[in-house]
Amino acid sequence: MAKRIFTSESVTEGHPDKVCDQIADAVLDNIIKEDAAARVACEAFCTTGMVTVMGEISTGCYVDIPKIVRTVVNDIGYCDPLQGFDGNTCAVLTSIDEQSPDIAMGVNRAFDSGSDPLDLTGAGDQGIMFGFACRETPEFMPLPISLAHALAKRLSFARKSGLLPFLRPDGKTQVTVEYDGDKPVRVEAVVVSTQHAAHAELADVRKHIEEAVIREIIPARLLDNGTKIFINPTGRFVTGGPAGDTGLTGRKIIVDTYGGYSRHGGGAFSGKDPTKVDRSASYAARWAAKNVVAAGLAEKCELQLAYAIGVAHPVSVMADTFGTGKADDEKIAAAVTRTFDFRPAAIIRGFEMLRPIYRAFSNYGHMGREDLNAPWEAADKVEALKNNL
């Protein structure tokens, strides 16, 4: 088998792009808690001393957006004005319009609606969405992104718990895995860049991150004398977060999904209510792909869904098992179509998506989140898929 390497990255909740994702999803959560029928497409950007929240929101409820922003920023750990950005003193600007009536028309009454109530809700946009699953990890995720997320979560834990008190909120992780064919056999490289207090010595930062983060997360069997470890390779990372780099919602879509291991349709998730198929259909595609693999129909599976705006049913369903399928990909795609209902209203109802659940998923990936009991992680259609093949 040919050897190859693959690299994925993750970021901590203090990364400026993730600050914005959390703000957008916190706004969505607060609105959907009061008005389940709201239409929300919320985005944010942040920089030194300010946050701007913008988008299209149609709702009959009121939420205090500046208060939400400040709560999120402080929760992350940006609460000291000496850092150049904090939730107590940052300016909060808003620019909110209502959802376009041309879009609302197709969402509220689908073009292809029939007598079934689930036919009434059309897709909130056209587009393509991908879902993926493989057997590399217990949660059916690719190993590189799984390890990168685990390292990022460990960084945040070490900071918040006081284990490594010199840490600050911003950080990035990266893991390179070597494969023998399709089997991951070792870690080729690990990169951790973490914001730290000005008084922290580089040697101490590197020593403690390797001991308390990297070697706590990466299994020893995957590390060897050839594994390259880079910790704060520039030598200093004091200025971080929005004071060091402008953040923007939706700029970490590869982190949110499969770390680049699978294709991506291009649509971001955060800040969007579930009528937006960028979000809901991506979750549904992950659900279906995971069930295909869990059913033993393939070792790995990528599903693509495509929608037309205002139309309830997807215009296409495609499966790619990369030569590992127990049946032709066309037959697997047909079985998936018979087993899963990909209409937006069916996805929303099945996943109970009209709940304030979204901010929790805005960090450390939306897929593979068994720790959050994500309904799209349920392997509950295994037998149905086998029967429909």
Side-chain angles (χ1 to χ4, degrees):
M1 300 289 284
K3 289 191 175 182
R4 62 187 178 90
I5 59 173
F6 193 87
T7 303
S8 293
E9 75 159 358
S10 185
V11 297
T12 65
E13 59 210 64
H15 187 282
D17 293 333
K18 276 296 157 193
V19 171
C20 294
D21 285 346
Q22 290 169 87
I23 289 170
D25 273 335
V27 171
L28 171 62
D29 279 348
N30 277 268
I31 291 174
I32 213 167
K33 181 167 57 178
E34 303 295 329
D35 180 8
R39 297 286 184 262
V40 181
C42 178
E43 301 189 49
F45 77 81
C46 61
T47 188
T48 304
M50 67 175 292
V51 175
T52 298
V53 179
M54 56 216 149
E56 297 77 45
I57 299 175
S58 295
T59 181
C61 74
Y62 169 79
V63 297
D64 189 339
I65 290 179
K67 182 178 180 181
I68 294 169
V69 169
R70 297 185 190 283
T71 298
V72 170
V73 172
N74 282 323
D75 283 350
I76 292 168
Y78 291 118
C79 46
D80 182 354
L82 295 178
Q83 294 179 344
F85 180 81
D86 74 283
N88 298 314
T89 66
C90 68
V92 180
L93 308 178
T94 60
S95 179
I96 305 294
D97 290 316
E98 292 185 328
Q99 183 183 59
S100 163
D102 297 341
I103 296 175
M105 180 171 60
V107 177
N108 296 336
R109 182 75 186 189
F111 175 81
D112 59 340
S113 60
S115 58
D116 188 338
L118 295 179
D119 282 335
L120 295 178
T121 302
D125 200 353
Q126 73 176 55
I128 57 175
M129 298 84 207
F130 289 94
F132 180 80
C134 64
R135 290 194 174 276
E136 292 182 18
T137 62
E139 67 273 21
F140 293 82
M141 288 288 286
L143 183 61
I145 189 64
S146 180
L147 291 176
H149 283 324
L151 287 172
K153 284 193 278 188
R154 180 69 179 178
L155 274 177
S156 289
F157 169 79
R159 171 176 62 90
K160 291 182 172 181
S161 68
L163 177 65
L164 300 179
F166 59 83
L167 292 180
R168 297 296 180 262
D170 197 359
K172 300 181 77 172
T173 62
Q174 185 173 289
V175 179
T176 300
V177 174
E178 180 183 311
Y179 288 80
D180 186 358
D182 285 333
K183 181 182 179 182
V185 293
R186 60 182 292 274
V187 168
E188 169 69 17
V190 181
V191 183
V192 175
S193 295
T194 180
Q195 186 185 14
H196 58 82
H199 61 76
E201 296 290 338
L202 178 60
D204 290 335
V205 172
R206 288 176 171 170
K207 175 179 181 293
H208 290 301
I209 292 300
E210 180 170 348
E211 293 176 355
V213 177
I214 294 174
R215 295 193 181 276
E216 283 290 323
I217 293 299
I218 307 292
R221 61 181 173 79
L222 296 177
L223 299 172
D224 57 33
N225 291 334
T227 301
K228 297 180 285 290
I229 295 177
F230 301 92
I231 300 169
N232 284 16
T234 68
R236 178 179 168 88
F237 188 178
V238 173
T239 302
D245 191 11
T246 297
L248 183 65
T249 301
R251 204 155 54 179
K252 287 292 176 284
I253 55 177
I254 297 302
V255 172
D256 288 341
T257 51
Y258 308 100
Y261 200 96
S262 170
R263 285 170 283 194
H264 195 289
F269 303 152
S270 290
K272 296 177 180 177
D273 76 75
T275 65
K276 279 71 171 175
V277 284
D278 280 340
R279 176 167 230 155
S280 54
S282 293
Y283 293 168
R286 159 65 180 175
W287 178 44
K290 183 172 182 178
N291 275 267
V292 168
V293 177
L297 303 183
E299 291 298 304
K300 55 183 175 179
C301 178
E302 181 182 77
L303 287 173
Q304 183 200 59
L305 305 177
Y307 288 84
I309 187 169
V311 178
H313 291 271
V315 300
S316 70
V317 178
M318 181 277 291
D320 187 350
T321 62
F322 308 93
T324 70
K326 301 302 187 290
D328 292 341
D329 288 349
E330 289 183 5
K331 291 183 178 179
I332 290 176
V336 166
T337 302
R338 288 190 288 268
T339 304
F340 297 89
D341 191 339
F342 294 120
R343 292 173 295 175
I347 298 170
I348 292 168
R349 185 179 70 175
F351 292 161
E352 298 181 6
M353 297 187 78
L354 300 179
R355 300 176 289 147
I357 61 172
Y358 297 104
R359 184 186 167 191
F361 290 97
S362 57
N363 292 310
Y364 314 118
H366 294 245
M367 312 305 176
R369 299 306 300 275
E370 295 178 352
D371 58 319
L372 296 177
N373 296 316
W376 47 92
E377 294 300 318
D380 55 352
K381 295 292 185 180
V382 166
E383 294 305 319
L385 267 172
K386 291 178 181 178
N387 293 334
N388 283 325
L389 186 63

